Amino acid sequence: LKCEYHENPLYDSLASLFTIHNIAYQGSFWHWDMLLTGLDWHHFSWREMEHYGRLNMLKTGLVFADSINTVSPTYAREIQTSEHGAGMDSVLRHRADRLSGILNGIDTQEWNPATDRFLVANYSPPVSVGDLLTQDSIDNKSRCKQCLQERSKLAVNGEVPLIGIVGRLASQKGWSLILPNLRRWLEQSDLQWVILGSGDPQIENALEQLHRQYPGKLAVSLGFSNEMAHQIEAGADMFLMPSEYEPCGLNQMYSMAYGTIPIVRRTGGLADTVVHADRASILNRSATGFVFDEYTPQALEFAIRTAEHVFRYQPDVWLQMMSTGMSKDWSWRRSAMEYVRLYQETVEHARHALVH
């Protein structure tokens, strides 16, 4: 569009928006692969398509697009830093005026506890924002927890906090924080864990070994089951997502929609969606989860202990947090309207640049 058709009036009204999901995946190739693009070699320069001597397709998109966005406002800021920019931070800082972040939404037909076909009992969010869950919804979510405990061969006990994890077993997802603590938690507390995922063989082996030692407290399912993922979101009391980085994340939104309290690290979309339960947010009823900052096992330990304390000793606060999270609009409706605005703004910007 920019190199081959810029003089063709048929394309004057077209503009491009480049959306980054995870900036670590870039499409980096041998420099001689430039021949395969059909573009002139003069574009293979540090200003355009070249990146440390290689052809980089992500950089090409960032340089030539009329606008750039990514999947959360916080991630849009993070990728402009050397820590999270994966070598593209200087390019993004140069184009910061055209960079924005829009949160993803979730499929509220697929992920809706009121209609979810995988649940033993369905339950609904509060009737109005600010209301609490009805007793029927509380009872049915408790039935989902009992079903998950039975399926996972854990002791059936509604008073014991049950923590769920669904996702890739990869270091990015916080396993370097979880594993150093998990054995001690299993030895010293009655917390229950249900984990669904696959990935790093070392993490898989460590979890299988712990499951063999503590089968009544830890259930591990390696692989993926859509049915099981839904049942964990509904049956768990807490959902753990201590990611090193997270462009947006969906599971924390699934969790809040299902009345399951997320415990997350303050990064990317996790920072933009989960409101930490501190004194102020509890008083104004905006709290939806527990958020920690430092990427250390100690910070994660403190967040889980705090969540456990509130679950056991402040049930009224816990119910309010569940109700607030379920009352939020996590659908694509909000995000879609922001994309429409961004599309329109991008076209207007491109037209203005063409005139001038």
Side-chain angles (χ1 to χ4, degrees), residues 1-12 34 37-43 48-49 64:
L1 187 63
K2 298 297 182 184
C3 299
E4 299 294 301
Y5 305 113
H6 64 283
E7 293 181 350
N8 190 326
L10 290 175
Y11 295 94
D12 284 352
M34 182 68 186
T37 69
L39 297 174
D40 193 285
W41 266 102
H42 81 264
H43 295 298
E48 296 183 354
M49 301 177 73
F64 284 105

Side-chain angles (χ1 to χ4, degrees), residues 2-49:
K2 298 297 182 184
C3 299
E4 299 294 301
Y5 305 113
H6 64 283
E7 293 181 350
N8 190 326
L10 290 175
Y11 295 94
D12 284 352
S13 62
L14 293 187
S16 56
L17 171 67
F18 189 92
T19 300
I20 304 163
H21 175 65
N22 187 330
I23 201 164
Y25 299 92
Q26 300 184 357
S28 178
F29 300 95
W30 189 37
H31 67 280
W32 285 111
D33 284 337
M34 182 68 186
L35 293 169
L36 301 176
T37 69
L39 297 174
D40 193 285
W41 266 102
H42 81 264
H43 295 298
F44 189 78
S45 70
W46 68 271
R47 293 182 181 277
E48 296 183 354
M49 301 177 73

